[in-house]
Amino acid sequence: MTNSRTLFAKLWDAHVIASLGMGEDLVAIDRVFLHERTGSVALRSLAASGRCVTDPRRIFAVTDHIVDTLPGRTGTLVPGGAAFLEATREETRKAGIHLFDVEDPDQGIVHVISPELAIVLPGATLVCPDSHSCSQGALGALAWGIGSTEAEHAMATGTLRVRRPGTMRVTFSGRLGPGVTAKDMALALIATHGASGGKGHAIEFAGEAVAALDLEGRLTLCNMAAEFGAMTAFVAPDEVIFDYLKGRRYAPRGPAWDAALTAWRLLATDPGATFDREIVMDAHAVAPMMSWGVSPQDSVPIDASIPTPPYTGSSARALDYMALRPGQQLLGTPIDAAFIGSCTNSRLADLRRVAAIVRGRHVANGITAIIVPGSSAVRRAAEAEGIDRIFMDAGFDWRMSGCSLCFYAGGDGFAPGARVISSTNRNFEGRQGPGVRTHIASPETVAASAIAGAIADPRDWPPLPAPGDGKADDRAHAFTAGAEAR
C-alpha cells in the first residue's frame, strides 16, 4: 500500500472540516467572489434570512457580466440591468464587502482580476456563482462554480457541503507546434473525449506542454474544463506561478511570502499516486482547432472537414443551425464578425499574440471586429505598449473591460444570423445573439480570420516584420516554419 497522494487529495483534505457520509464533506472555503448577476441575489437573500456575512475580508465582488463595454460607458445596456448594479452596490456596502465597480482601476472579469490581484492563491479554496471559476485552478487552487444559495451558505459559514469528486489527470506529452495554443489543447481534449468527458472529476493538467505554458495559457486551459463537464481543474504550482504572484496586491509579503513559498512548493502529486482516470494527449499532434457545431465538443482541426457520420437529432439540428454540411471544409468559410474577449482569452498575453498577427494588416471589408480586454489593468497595459493602436489601425473596435459579447444578455449582440468567430468558451445556440452562429477558436485564429474575412489558419498569417523589430522577423520565421512542416 502506498502513501503517495494526488495534489487534489492534499488540497481537499487540508480543507475538510467533517465527513458527512454518502461521499460528502464539509469543506472550508477561503474566498468567495461575487458578480452582479448573481451576487446581489445571494446577498439580498442572505439578509432576508436574518443571517450575515461572517468575514467580509474573505468576500470580493465585481461588476463585469452586464456592464456596458462601449467607450465612455456609464452603466449597462441590459434592460433592467441597472437594478442589478445598484443592488450589488447597496448590498456589498451594507455587508462591508470590497466591490470592484465600473470606475475602479482594478475592475474586470472576475476570473481575470482574481489572479491579477492575487485574491486566489496556491492551495486555497475559492468559489463563485459562475461556472468558469475553475479557471483559477491555474494557480494551484481548488476553485469551482456554485449557485447563489451555496454562495449564501459560504458567506454565512465559511463552509460548503460538497460531494468529493473523482480524480483525473490529463497529461499533454511533448510540446505544442508553432501557432498552437492552450485553447487548441482544450478543444482537442473536449472534441476527443466529449463535453461530459470530465464529469464528476477534479482534473489535474500535467505534462511537458502544460509546464511550458505561461500563467495565462494555464488559465485558458483550466477555464475550458467547465466545457469538459469537470467540477474543477488545476495545475500544480511552480516557479511560473510564484513569479506571477510576487508583489501583487493581495499576495503575502515579507516573511509571510517566504513561508507561503515553502508551503506552496509542497503542492504536487507524489510519484506513484493514482488517479481514478488518466488521459494522455500528444501535444505535438494538436493543431489549431475550430468548432463547427453548437457545443465545444463539435470541434475539428482547422484544416479538417466536418465529420460525415449520419446526422440525426441534436447533431442534425446543430449543422442546420450553423448552416453547414457534412464533409464541408471550414477553411475559407466567410464570416461576418470576429470577437476577442471573455474570461477564456482576454489577457495581456492573448492580446500581444493577436497584435503580432494584425500589425500592418487590416480587417477585411464588411467584417465587424471587436476586442474587449479582460480587465482595466489589461487595457492600461495594452495601451502603454501601444497594442491598442495596432488594433484600431487594423480596424478593430477597442473597448472597455467586461464580459461583453461573450454572451447575449439583451444588451449587446451580433446581428441575427451572423457567422462569428470568437475567442470565447461557448458556442451554444444564441450565445452571442438570436440566430448568431458562433465558431470558437484561439485568439490567433480569430485574428487571422478577421483579416482574411473567412475562417483562416493562423499558421498561414505570420507576423509582418516591422522596421527595426528583429523579434518580428523571428516570429515570422517560426510561423512560416510551422506552416511548412504541415
Side-chain angles (χ1 to χ4, degrees):
M1 184 174 179
T2 176
N3 292 321
S4 298
R5 302 167 69 208
T6 64
L7 173 54
F8 170 79
K10 296 177 183 180
L11 298 177
W12 188 267
D13 293 346
H15 288 83
V16 170
I17 297 170
S19 295
L20 305 177
M22 303 295 286
E24 290 189 328
D25 293 328
L26 188 67
V27 177
I29 303 300
D30 298 318
R31 300 281 188 277
V32 179
F33 219 131
L34 308 173
H35 60 74
E36 79 279 22
R37 280 194 87 198
T38 53
S40 60
V41 174
L43 286 168
R44 285 198 161 170
S45 179
L46 185 67
S49 69
R51 295 178 293 167
C52 63
V53 175
T54 301
D55 188 352
R57 297 172 301 173
R58 295 170 181 249
I59 319 297
F60 299 85
V62 68
T63 54
D64 59 356
H65 273 62
I66 61 170
V67 295
D68 175 13
T69 57
L70 291 170
R73 65 180 171 191
T74 57
T76 177
L77 300 176
V78 178
F84 283 92
L85 293 176
E86 288 307 314
T88 300
R89 290 162 185 154
E90 180 182 348
E91 297 302 327
T92 53
R93 184 171 55 252
K94 288 194 294 189
I97 295 171
H98 189 105
L99 171 65
F100 300 99
D101 206 348
V102 174
E103 299 300 328
D104 192 299
D106 290 321
Q107 182 270 346
I109 304 173
V110 53
H111 314 309
V112 175
I113 68 171
S114 178
E116 280 181 355
L117 298 172
I119 289 173
V120 61
L121 292 169
T125 52
L126 182 148
V127 294
C128 172
D130 188 288
S131 59
H132 292 103
S133 301
C134 50
S135 310
Q136 301 173 59
L139 287 96
L142 282 183
W144 67 94
I146 57 174
S148 293
T149 302
E150 290 175 299
E152 290 179 46
H153 192 283
M155 288 190 286
T157 68
T159 69
L160 275 179
R161 182 173 184 153
V162 191
R163 178 171 297 282
R164 187 181 182 113
T167 56
M168 179 188 294
R169 180 163 59 188
V170 176
T171 302
F172 282 91
S173 60
R175 303 295 290 261
L176 295 173
V180 184
T181 70
K183 183 66 161 289
D184 302 307
M185 295 165 70
L187 287 176
L189 172 67
I190 298 168
T192 303
H193 295 278
S196 60
K199 186 177 181 180
H201 289 82
I203 297 174
E204 179 174 350
F205 286 112
E208 183 181 1
V210 175
L213 292 175
D214 58 18
L215 189 277
E216 290 85 350
R218 299 178 190 187
L219 284 162
T220 298
L221 190 59
C222 290
N223 175 278
M224 293 294 291
E227 311 312 319
F228 194 42
M231 170 199 174
T232 189
F234 53 89
V235 177
D238 61 8
E239 297 303 320
V240 171
I241 292 172
F242 306 149
D243 291 345
Y244 177 88
L245 287 173
K246 190 171 185 179
R248 292 184 183 266
R249 183 167 165 183
Y250 290 98
R253 296 178 184 276
W257 171 261
D258 295 334
L261 270 185
T262 300
W264 293 344
R265 288 195 166 112
L266 299 176
L267 297 179
T269 290
D270 297 328
T274 59
F275 292 78
D276 295 320
R277 190 177 170 202
E278 294 253 21
I279 290 176
V280 178
M281 302 279 290
D282 178 2
H284 188 69
V286 176
M289 299 290 290
M290 169 71 60
S291 73
W292 55 264
V294 295
S295 164
Q297 72 180 1
D298 300 334
S299 297
V300 293
I302 196 165
D303 51 1
S305 302
I306 297 173
T308 57
Y311 285 89
T312 59
S314 60
S315 59
R317 174 181 168 84
L319 268 183
D320 182 61
Y321 180 84
M322 294 297 290
L324 298 169
R325 63 182 186 281
Q328 181 175 339
Q329 278 271 342
L330 291 172
L331 275 177
T333 302
I335 62 171
D336 301 295
F339 177 74
I340 294 172
S342 84
C343 58
T344 313
N345 283 120
S346 63
R347 299 175 176 85
L348 187 59
D350 298 315
L351 302 190
R352 285 172 173 162
R353 298 196 309 272
V354 169
I357 292 176
V358 306
R359 181 174 58 188
R361 298 185 169 111
H362 200 278
V363 170
N365 289 336
I367 302 298
T368 298
I370 298 170
I371 296 181
V372 179
S375 72
S376 296
V378 169
R379 180 181 166 88
R380 287 194 303 274
E383 291 176 351
E385 294 183 16
I387 291 175
D388 62 319
R389 178 49 55 190
I390 294 173
F391 294 151
M392 290 186 285
D393 287 348
F396 282 89
D397 286 349
W398 174 240
R399 292 198 173 187
M400 309 293 284
S401 61
C403 297
S404 195
L405 286 90
C406 173
F407 67 104
Y408 178 72
D412 205 359
F414 293 102
R419 186 175 300 282
V420 181
I421 184 165
S422 175
S423 75
T424 55
N425 44 42
R426 287 181 174 161
N427 52 346
F428 306 158
E429 289 187 31
R431 175 74 177 177
Q432 294 184 299
V436 171
R437 300 170 176 126
T438 298
H439 296 268
I440 51 177
S442 72
E444 287 91 328
T445 301
V446 176
S449 301
I451 295 165
I455 292 175
D457 190 329
R459 296 170 295 188
D460 296 332
W461 293 83
L464 295 175
D469 183 4
K471 292 182 180 179
D473 292 333
D474 293 342
R475 291 193 296 269
H477 175 73
F479 268 69
T480 302
E484 289 171 346
R486 283 178 283 140

